[in-house]
Amino acid sequence: AQRSSNDALFIVPPGMEGFREYARRSIYVDFKLFPASTVSAVPEWRERLDLISAPDGAARAAAGWPAVPLWDRSYASRNTPARIAELLRTTGADYFVWDRRGLDVPPYVSLPRDPDPAVHVVYANDRFEVYALAGAAHAAR
């Protein structure tokens, strides 16, 4: 992430609270930075969480910090490459960080992760895949 431009915007799993600090990059939304001091921003915060995670019933029903792994599971299981492409276009974000650990939260869901020509992986390791829209110039390779 630090090889990206300083103004790059990332979509990260809702529970990935240290990304801003370590990467020194902006994120679209996360679970921890709830806008408690600005009540008028709460609906937008929730809409953004719903958009990136497409939370299932278990995630929606859970409250507080115990809900975070459930939101991360929804994020990991529902965000296929095709959906990632749509989210990058809809939000204007530059990168989407997908975390395999979200799939380790029960109930276990197996989903096909068919590639989509609209996005490409700009970084991958055993845990993460970072996507960008195909054709976009990025320095995070």
Side-chain angles (χ1 to χ4, degrees):
Q2 288 184 340
R3 286 184 258 157
S4 66
S5 68
N6 288 337
D7 61 350
L9 178 62
F10 286 77
I11 297 174
V12 300
M16 189 177 276
E17 63 185 71
F19 185 87
R20 278 188 186 106
E21 180 180 346
Y22 292 111
R24 297 178 191 239
R25 297 296 182 271
S26 296
I27 64 170
Y28 186 71
V29 68
D30 69 2
F31 199 84
K32 185 175 182 176
L33 288 178
F34 176 82
S37 63
T38 312
V39 176
S40 63
V42 172
E44 181 179 355
W45 170 81
R46 180 56 189 254
E47 285 173 18
R48 286 179 174 214
L49 276 178
D50 287 347
L51 177 65
I52 68 164
S53 300
D56 60 19
R60 286 186 181 279
W65 292 114
V68 174
L70 300 175
W71 282 79
D72 284 348
R73 180 183 41 77
S74 285
Y75 178 96
S77 65
R78 295 182 187 262
N79 285 315
T80 62
R83 187 165 193 279
I84 290 168
E86 183 59 32
L87 285 170
L88 289 171
R89 285 190 291 266
T90 300
T91 63
D94 300 292
Y95 300 99
F96 184 99
V97 178
W98 185 76
D99 184 353
R100 283 179 184 76
R101 278 195 189 167
L103 300 178
D104 295 338
V105 179
Y108 304 109
V109 178
S110 177
L111 287 179
R113 293 202 43 85
D114 298 329
D116 188 288
V119 291
H120 65 281
V121 176
V122 296
Y123 175 82
N125 64 22
D126 291 340
R127 180 176 171 188
F128 298 105
E129 291 176 3
V130 179
Y131 291 84
L133 287 173
H138 295 290
R141 294 193 164 119

